[in-house]
Amino acid sequence: MTARIDSHQHFWRYNSQDYPWIDATRESLKVDYMPPDLLPLMQATGIAGTVAVQARQNLRETEFLLELANEYDFIRGVVGWVDMRADDVEAQLERFAAHPRLVGVRHIVHDEADDRFMLGGNFLRGLAKLKACGLTYDLLLFPRHLPVAIEVVRRFPEQPFVLDHIAKPFIKDGLLEPWERDIRQLAAFDNVFCKVSGMVTEAAWGGWTQDDFRPYLDVVFDCFGIDRLMFGSDWPVCTLAGSYRQVVGIVETYIAALSPDEQTRVMGGAATEFYQLP
């Protein structure tokens, strides 16, 4: 039986130097969030395993997450960070790829000053090294970055990519375009999966309803299809706008009319396949 998997969550021991993105609008995140904090939330919602995703841009972050994965069996995979632009990127990848729980890497692209960051020669050279190491790549973008992502994915047809947070559309404002146009172009590449995650923090904090998410879910379910969509909570970031149970409920409510096999695919099967989880 396929386990229910949360394909996207974070851990940290908070300090202001390592987490500058946790600003004054996110005061509640300025505490430690560790596996014992998440486990009861998972148990209460029937989630058996998770993929822990990097939240810092340094090699210590990858080491930290892999150490947690060694200690807690429910962390089925880790999406870490390496310096994709470094001259020694291959050595960095080989160092960490030997760990069975490292399943992919990510860079916080949407915080880079250059919207075309991913098309830099050094970054592309780093991306080209992932496939040989058996690693996936998480695309962390804002809607304006989607045209660049389309170009990057076009260059690497054999590399598995997954789009985080459905590219953070403007849910609070009810805007679909040009996000929908670009999402459909990206989804046309069958090596790209998509995480149904991170939506609640793009809605009106404290004032969202299930209906706010439906137009965006309609788009990604239509263009990616059941096989390439995976649930993710984005815990603890999601707690800014909703509880863990509420975030699980948004997706469960939307897929309630699907067959049991289709629901299982979204709630665990796709993540297990994409990340090759144990």
Side-chain angles (χ1 to χ4, degrees), residues 196 214 217-218 221-222 225-227 229 251-267:
V196 186
R214 183 166 296 277
L217 289 168
D218 286 347
F221 273 80
D222 181 55
I226 300 297
D227 284 346
L229 290 169
V251 179
E252 287 183 330
T253 298
Y254 184 83
I255 66 175
L258 300 179
S259 73
D261 285 349
E262 289 172 327
Q263 293 183 45
T264 296
R265 179 71 183 179
V266 174
M267 297 303 297

Side-chain angles (χ1 to χ4, degrees), residues 31-225:
V31 295
D32 295 352
Y33 285 94
M34 295 292 286
D37 303 309
L38 177 59
L39 186 56
L41 305 178
M42 294 169 52
Q43 292 171 334
T45 49
I47 304 294
T50 72
V51 176
V53 179
Q54 64 86 217
R56 293 181 293 177
Q57 307 269 78
N58 56 53
L59 296 177
R60 294 192 311 277
E61 174 76 338
T62 308
E63 295 167 351
F64 166 68
L65 294 176
L66 290 174
E67 287 167 2
L68 291 180
N70 287 338
E71 186 174 355
Y72 296 93
D73 286 343
F74 75 79
I75 304 173
R76 304 284 181 91
V78 166
V79 174
W81 184 89
V82 299
D83 186 352
M84 299 287 284
R85 299 178 294 173
D87 290 341
D88 68 340
V89 63
E90 196 163 14
Q92 292 182 36
L93 288 168
E94 288 174 355
R95 169 189 168 192
F96 291 117
H99 194 295
R101 293 294 170 95
L102 187 76
V103 295
V105 298
R106 185 178 83 154
H107 188 89
I108 303 178
V109 168
H110 68 24
D111 283 356
E112 293 290 342
D114 180 4
D115 285 352
R116 296 176 62 80
F117 173 86
M118 288 192 296
L119 289 173
N122 287 348
F123 189 84
L124 292 172
R125 182 175 57 84
L127 270 179
K129 305 293 185 183
L130 296 182
K131 184 69 167 59
C133 295
L135 296 174
T136 64
Y137 184 79
D138 269 53
L139 293 159
L140 181 60
L141 315 172
F142 289 137
R144 69 176 186 270
H145 301 110
L146 284 168
V148 173
I150 291 164
E151 179 57 32
V152 169
V153 168
R154 182 178 287 117
R155 297 183 185 209
F156 296 97
E158 302 301 318
Q159 170 62 40
F161 292 94
V162 61
L163 178 65
D164 292 349
H165 313 327
I166 67 172
K168 298 191 173 185
F170 300 105
I171 297 173
K172 181 174 64 173
D173 301 314
L175 297 177
L176 281 171
E177 295 296 350
W179 170 83
E180 178 177 352
R181 177 200 68 201
D182 295 334
I183 280 283
R184 290 188 180 279
Q185 289 186 42
L186 184 64
F189 297 93
D190 60 12
N191 57 319
V192 182
F193 281 55
C194 180
K195 292 183 181 181
V196 186
S197 62
M199 299 180 298
V200 70
T201 45
E202 303 309 313
W205 294 7
W208 55 264
T209 70
Q210 179 76 26
D211 288 343
D212 294 334
F213 307 108
R214 183 166 296 277
Y216 303 91
L217 289 168
D218 286 347
V219 170
V220 295
F221 273 80
D222 181 55
C223 63
F224 282 99

